[in-house]
Amino acid sequence: MRDCFCTINLDQEEVYRTQVVEKSLSPFFSEEFYFEIPRTFQYLSFYVYDKNVLQRDLRIGKVAIKKEDLCNHSGKETWFSLQPVDSNSEVQGKVHLELKLNELITENGTVCQQLVVHIMACHGLPLINGQSCDPYATVSLVGPSRNDQKKTKVKKKTSNPQFNEIFYFEVTRSSSYTRKSQFQVEEEDIEKLEIRIDLWNNGNLVQDIFLGEIKVPVNVLRNDSFHQAWYLLQPRDNGNKSSKTDDLGSLRLNICYTEDYVLPSEYYGPLKTLLLKSPDVQPISASAAYILGEICRDKNDAVLPLVRLLLHRDKLVPFATAVAELDLKDTQDANTIFRGNSLATRCLDEMMKIVGGHYLKVTLKPILDEICESSKSCEIDPIKLKEGDNVENNKENLRYYVDKLFSTIVKSSMSCPTVMCDTFYSLRQMATQRFPNDPHVQYSAVSSFVFLRFFAVAVVSPHTFHLRPHHPDPQTIRTLTLISKTIQTLGSWGSLSKSKSSFKETFMCEFFKMFQEEGYIIAVKKFLDEISSTETKESSGTSEPVHLKEGEMYKRAQGRTRIGKKNFKKRWFCLTSRELTYHKQPGKDAIYTIPVKNILAVEKLEESSFNKKNMFQVIHMEKPLYVQANNCVEANEWIDVLCRVSRCNQNRLSFYHPSAYLNGNWLCCLETSENALGCKPCTAGVPADIQIDIDEDRETERIYSLFTLSLLKLQKMEEACGTIAVYQGPQKEPDDYSNFVIEDSVTTFKTIQQIKSIIEKLDEPHEKYRKKRSSSAKYGSKENPIVGKTS
């Protein structure tokens, strides 16, 4: 049996990893990762590892999907066979090469050809053990009876080496050749020769690591004596073709990949206006926002951009209320209220994730930290008890945690964000009207969201809500699962008021009897009353700092080391709405603090400054703080959140230095004064509305893309409206439109016409951009490198 985990990589750079599933050959992870991709990449890769405590983790196999192929797999659940992993197949990056053919006259008067190979640079080589490599290249002329090899100098600590070295190879003519001044090598010779470039990481005392190769046939010069292009590095065939890859097993993935090109703001006005009018449309099912949810294959695709856009413009509560009312019409049993996966419930789930992050942190984080950092056993299932475990002690431990968590939640109403309270108030009113004879439904309508879909989910997976930096260990996950089950049942008004629990397991039913007391019912009722009242709450986070992000990174020392060089140290960074701090370890006192109001700019730092990737700088009143993140996604997230929190600061800089100040001058502009004005404009502008940092244009572009992808369904919905209008009801071929909710065919038809008209107008600038993009990136350019042949 194996202790397995998976990593998600952009090329060779790890950006996420799953929890470890112990002692299994068929591990089930069920984890979801959503992230922006901040750079170009060749492959999205997934590695399966066997965890090893004493030695390096063993790589079992990998799945590597080319960027071009991601769209083919998007939105589908697929089994991928694991491929073997070896150093010869792990490549990324590209090489810039120039070839020339010169004619030479030798000492004895014969004419021969000289091949000139100019290896200029490489870009995007992989990190080796998290650090930039020490690359060098070997350049070989390979033919049937020759293998001439030359080597470049080693470039230290860089993933983008500038070699700029020229090598000469003699290409001899056959003895039968008699013509003079013929500029091409003879056909039979040129077909057999190729230039091979191999990239290596210099291992110093250990073995050099292969980084990739390219092979360029010399016959590219057949019609022209000069050739220059960028080539993608390729893996090397190491003779393992015969090995059975089936033995490695397979990995089931569900990948959703989207790529959008956001146009200038003026293009999105009409679509934005139509979407923002949605809450006021009668009936709501005839609105553009609702129609989007109806025609998307996966409602989640529509929900994310829709919720962000409506939330940004304070339109979400009326829209969510209207679609929830539609849900209630179809609900026959009060006990199943808001238990489905409809557009309404998904919109509210997404809203709670966006606005409820701080609420979860102030409510749950201290207790979750205590649970994760202590090793108290809470297992109460007799079958799963370990040897020596005392079930009564475990029961007491579990009760202590449940009571503490429950008590904190029911006292937290003042921290609940206003937008959540407003939504809960509307749900409560509607539920009471729908089921006037059920006194409990006003509470279960709210508890089905706040307990079942919010607190219980955050307890069982704290890392996905940024409440914990890493996955808890298996024992802690089991503890959190038992707590989450109890909390959601405690919050379920029906379970408490009717003295019935929904547990299937006997041991959980027995444990839950401890909580079936009047005090718990009163506490839940009071809490639900408070968070669904019309009283205006304080905006969460005004009185205390909002915890925004934390994690481990490397920072460049502010002082000097004994040998006079500044070094990099691992530190725990923590950002709140008031200050950025770093600590030696989580929970320790801060070593260094930067008040957010003192941040003047946050920008990327050029790799050439310290030969390190994924670096950024926090420019503040004192010296710039230089920080290295663990990967490109993490760096992007830190820059984004730091920019967001400091955007409205006074004295923000308009210009900055993209490189560091080293050895008496700025590396970018060579200015000698440390206080010299920056030489490059800052990237982050000040948005008009920073209440929730949302890029409206980007969200509207995503919605445009979804409408474009679903045009066929939109067409069917339009036809269904026509059919209903003509036949006054579903008399003709109901299958054509029975899948759609169409309450008012005339209004729905008009909205669809508006959507189609707006989409057609938006198609034109997109098509222009696509043509411009495809024509501008020439094959062989840095943006569109040549895919060389493999072994």
Side-chain angles (χ1 to χ4, degrees):
M1 306 300 270
R2 286 174 151 165
D3 300 339
C4 296
F5 67 93
C6 294
T7 65
I8 302 173
N9 296 48
L10 289 174
D11 297 319
Q12 257 73 84
E13 184 180 7
E14 181 187 320
V15 290
Y16 287 108
R17 66 169 56 194
T18 67
Q19 63 186 337
V20 177
V21 176
E22 293 185 326
K23 297 181 176 57
S24 174
L25 293 178
S26 302
F28 182 70
F29 297 104
S30 188
E31 292 195 51
E32 203 168 282
F33 300 92
Y34 172 87
F35 60 102
E36 309 290 332
I37 297 176
R39 63 169 176 83
T40 54
F41 68 103
Q42 282 177 252
Y43 289 91
L44 180 66
S45 303
F46 303 84
Y47 291 79
V48 181
Y49 284 85
D50 183 5
K51 183 80 179 166
N52 194 319
V53 179
L54 300 175
Q55 298 171 332
R56 283 183 68 181
D57 299 329
L58 173 70
R59 287 195 285 200
I60 297 169
K62 70 169 181 179
V63 171
I65 305 168
K66 276 187 178 176
K67 182 186 175 183
E68 298 78 44
D69 298 335
L70 279 171
C71 293
N72 303 333
H73 302 292
S74 188
K76 299 172 190 169
E77 202 170 88
T78 314
W79 281 101
F80 294 89
S81 293
L82 289 175
Q83 301 302 315
V85 180
D86 65 83
S87 57
N88 290 329
S89 67
E90 300 294 283
V91 303
Q92 71 176 62
K94 47 199 166 190
V95 183
H96 195 192
L97 195 65
E98 184 180 280
L99 301 179
K100 270 187 202 169
L101 208 51
N102 293 335
E103 193 174 71
L104 288 182
I105 298 175
T106 59
E107 291 175 0
N108 60 9
T110 58
V111 178
C112 73
Q113 302 288 329
Q114 184 187 55
L115 181 64
V116 183
V117 181
H118 183 183
I119 179 163
M120 295 150 94
C122 290
H123 186 83
L125 296 179
L127 299 175
I128 304 292
N129 299 326
Q131 299 297 319
S132 293
C133 51
D134 295 339
Y136 70 90
T138 57
V139 183
S140 311
L141 179 64
V142 182
S145 58
R146 64 187 298 177
N147 187 353
D148 302 344
Q149 189 178 91
K150 303 175 190 289
K151 180 180 164 185
T152 68
K153 291 174 183 169
V154 175
K155 299 291 178 182
K156 291 284 185 184
K157 298 281 175 262
T158 177
S159 296
N160 303 317
Q162 301 289 322
F163 291 112
N164 206 20
E165 292 192 42
I166 299 173
F167 301 97
Y168 300 93
F169 297 93
E170 189 178 297
V171 183
T172 312
R173 293 187 174 283
S174 62
S175 56
S176 62
Y177 184 74
T178 53
R179 285 175 294 171
K180 294 180 183 176
S181 192
Q182 173 62 36
F183 215 66
Q184 275 112 7
V185 179
E186 281 193 300
E187 199 70 29
E188 61 265 31
D189 292 336
I190 203 167
E191 290 293 346
K192 297 169 185 172
L193 293 173
E194 66 180 11
I195 285 291
R196 196 179 79 207
I197 312 282
D198 291 86
L199 264 294
W200 299 86
N201 177 56
N202 184 35
N204 291 323
L205 301 175
V206 294
Q207 191 176 356
D208 293 353
I209 298 170
F210 176 75
L211 300 177
E213 68 173 25
I214 61 163
K215 294 178 179 179
V216 184
V218 178
N219 67 10
V220 295
L221 295 166
R222 185 190 293 145
N223 301 318
D224 193 351
S225 61
F226 177 81
H227 172 77
Q228 182 182 304
W230 282 88
Y231 283 84
L232 277 179
L233 283 168
Q234 298 296 317
R236 184 170 61 189
D237 177 12
N238 62 337
N240 274 352
K241 283 185 178 176
S242 59
S243 68
K244 288 186 179 178
T245 55
D246 299 342
D247 300 340
L248 299 175
S250 45
L251 182 66
R252 189 170 73 180
L253 298 168
N254 190 340
I255 301 162
C256 294
Y257 175 71
T258 56
E259 201 173 88
D260 294 321
Y261 305 107
V262 185
L263 302 169
S265 296
E266 58 266 23
Y267 289 97
Y268 297 112
L271 182 55
K272 217 182 286 183
T273 304
L274 186 65
L275 290 161
L276 293 170
K277 270 171 33 185
S278 294
D280 307 318
V281 174
Q282 294 287 338
I284 193 68
S285 60
S287 68
Y290 191 90
I291 289 168
L292 177 70
E294 280 288 278
I295 62 173
C296 277
R297 187 176 63 180
D298 184 350
K299 275 190 172 62
N300 282 340
D301 290 345
V303 163
L304 190 63
L306 202 53
V307 166
R308 286 167 176 263
L309 185 64
L310 294 172
L311 196 57
H312 194 50
R313 293 295 191 94
D314 293 326
K315 296 278 186 181
L316 183 65
V317 176
F319 178 74
T321 304
V323 290
E325 197 165 10
L326 208 55
D327 269 14
L328 279 171
K329 283 182 185 175
D330 295 331
T331 306
Q332 303 306 317
D333 182 357
N335 291 321
T336 61
I337 193 166
F338 300 129
R339 290 295 175 96
N341 240 350
S342 64
L343 182 64
T345 56
R346 291 183 193 196
C347 280
L348 290 171
D349 283 350
E350 198 54 48
M351 176 270 284
M352 290 191 296
K353 272 186 198 170
I354 294 170
V355 302
H358 174 60
Y359 180 32
L360 286 175
K361 282 194 170 92
V362 296
T363 310
L364 301 185
K365 193 174 189 319
I367 303 163
L368 290 174
D369 286 344
E370 182 187 335
I371 295 166
C372 293
E373 284 158 20
S374 73
S375 54
K376 286 182 182 176
S377 176
C378 297
E379 185 55 75
I380 57 172
D381 182 351
I383 299 168
K384 293 187 177 179
L385 284 173
K386 292 178 183 172
E387 196 177 335
D389 270 4
N390 184 315
V391 72
E392 290 305 316
N393 284 350
N394 290 1
K395 208 176 274 189
E396 278 307 307
N397 291 340
L398 187 58
R399 177 167 188 173
Y400 165 76
Y401 286 141
V402 170
D403 269 333
K404 196 167 183 180
L405 209 57
F406 176 78
S407 173
T408 308
I409 288 170
V410 295
K411 291 175 184 171
S412 69
S413 60
M414 288 310 290
S415 300
C416 188
T418 308
V419 69
M420 283 173 67
C421 295
D422 292 346
T423 309
F424 295 151
Y425 173 75
S426 299
L427 295 177
R428 183 175 176 169
Q429 300 304 307
M430 287 189 298
T432 308
Q433 287 167 13
R434 176 73 180 85
F435 299 102
N437 300 323
D438 190 327
H440 304 310
V441 75
Q442 58 175 318
Y443 296 113
S444 55
V446 178
S447 67
S448 62
F449 282 102
V450 76
F451 278 102
L452 207 66
R453 293 172 175 267
F454 187 59
F455 284 121
V457 180
V459 168
V460 83
S461 55
H463 55 283
T464 58
F465 288 85
H466 306 293
L467 298 173
R468 291 288 298 167
H470 305 296
H471 293 281
D473 60 71
Q475 181 183 312
T476 308
I477 288 172
R478 176 64 180 159
T479 300
L480 293 174
T481 304
L482 293 170
I483 295 169
S484 177
K485 279 183 172 187
T486 316
I487 288 291
Q488 72 184 49
T489 312
L490 271 171
S492 171
W493 181 255
S495 298
L496 280 172
S497 56
K498 295 168 188 171
S499 298
K500 279 196 321 190
S501 71
S502 55
F503 294 117
K504 293 172 186 172
E505 308 101 325
T506 313
F507 65 89
M508 284 303 293
C509 291
E510 285 300 311
F511 176 67
F512 193 69
K513 284 177 183 174
M514 294 180 176
F515 302 95
Q516 288 176 321
E517 299 170 5
E518 189 68 22
Y520 290 99
I521 298 174
I522 293 167
V524 170
K525 181 174 178 291
K526 181 172 179 286
F527 171 67
L528 295 174
D529 278 336
E530 286 169 352
I531 62 167
S532 57
S533 70
T534 52
E535 293 171 26
T536 310
K537 299 273 187 296
E538 287 293 314
S539 173
S540 77
T542 49
S543 56
E544 54 183 307
V546 181
H547 183 103
L548 298 171
K549 191 168 174 62
E550 62 182 338
E552 202 169 63
M553 295 189 290
Y554 292 85
K555 62 96 196 172
R556 186 178 183 241
Q558 298 289 306
R560 292 194 170 275
T561 60
R562 288 179 187 173
I563 55 171
K565 286 188 177 179
K566 293 192 176 181
N567 60 359
F568 282 80
K569 290 184 177 173
K570 192 186 284 187
R571 291 289 179 255
W572 186 264
F573 282 76
C574 184
L575 175 67
T576 70
S577 53
R578 288 191 191 160
E579 59 191 24
L580 173 68
T581 54
Y582 60 74
H583 316 245
K584 277 197 173 177
Q585 289 172 343
K588 300 283 185 187
D589 291 340
I591 301 173
Y592 193 71
T593 302
I594 303 172
V596 162
K597 63 182 182 183
N598 290 353
I599 294 176
L600 306 178
V602 183
E603 299 287 348
K604 287 182 179 175
L605 189 71
E606 287 181 356
E607 187 187 327
S608 55
S609 298
F610 301 103
N611 286 329
K612 289 180 185 290
K613 287 186 129 181
N614 306 321
M615 286 204 68
F616 63 93
Q617 51 183 321
V618 182
I619 305 166
H620 57 112
M621 300 295 192
E622 298 171 32
K623 290 182 179 179
L625 175 66
Y626 298 130
V627 184
Q628 183 188 26
N630 292 311
N631 59 62
C632 60
V633 171
E634 190 185 1
N636 219 47
E637 287 174 355
W638 272 101
I639 293 168
D640 182 56
V641 72
L642 281 162
C643 284
R644 192 191 321 161
V645 78
S646 64
R647 266 177 178 163
C648 291
N649 286 355
Q650 292 183 334
N651 306 320
R652 273 190 66 89
L653 297 178
S654 302
F655 290 85
Y656 77 106
H657 292 283
S659 282
Y661 183 80
L662 292 173
N663 304 323
N665 63 267
W666 292 99
L667 299 180
C668 39
C669 57
L670 304 180
E671 282 282 344
T672 52
S673 168
E674 201 165 353
N675 300 318
L677 188 69
C679 56
K680 190 175 179 181
C682 287
T683 52
V686 180
D689 177 8
I690 61 149
Q691 180 191 359
I692 294 172
D693 186 57
I694 287 166
D695 186 337
E696 283 190 348
D697 296 337
R698 182 177 176 166
E699 304 305 337
T700 314
E701 170 60 37
R702 182 87 287 269
I703 291 168
Y704 156 77
S705 295
L706 291 169
F707 273 130
T708 307
L709 287 169
S710 309
L711 273 177
L712 199 62
K713 275 198 175 178
L714 197 65
Q715 186 72 36
K716 281 191 175 179
M717 199 174 189
E718 185 182 32
E719 289 165 9
C721 289
T723 306
I724 292 168
V726 171
Y727 290 92
Q728 288 85 42
Q731 285 111 356
K732 187 184 176 187
E733 298 176 22
D735 286 347
D736 283 353
Y737 50 82
S738 58
N739 295 329
F740 303 118
V741 175
I742 301 173
E743 294 177 289
D744 182 331
S745 57
V746 176
T747 313
T748 306
F749 186 83
K750 282 180 182 171
T751 306
I752 292 171
Q753 290 285 299
Q754 286 176 295
I755 292 168
K756 285 175 73 179
S757 170
I758 289 168
I759 297 306
E760 277 174 27
K761 284 177 185 167
L762 267 171
D763 282 342
E764 290 176 30
H766 279 90
E767 193 52 43
K768 273 185 190 172
Y769 175 78
R770 269 191 286 270
K771 281 180 181 171
K772 182 184 171 189
R773 189 168 177 264
S774 59
S775 61
S776 61
K778 181 186 163 192
Y779 191 48
S781 65
K782 192 173 182 180
E783 295 72 31
N784 188 14
I786 295 170
V787 181
K789 66 174 185 173
T790 53
S791 299

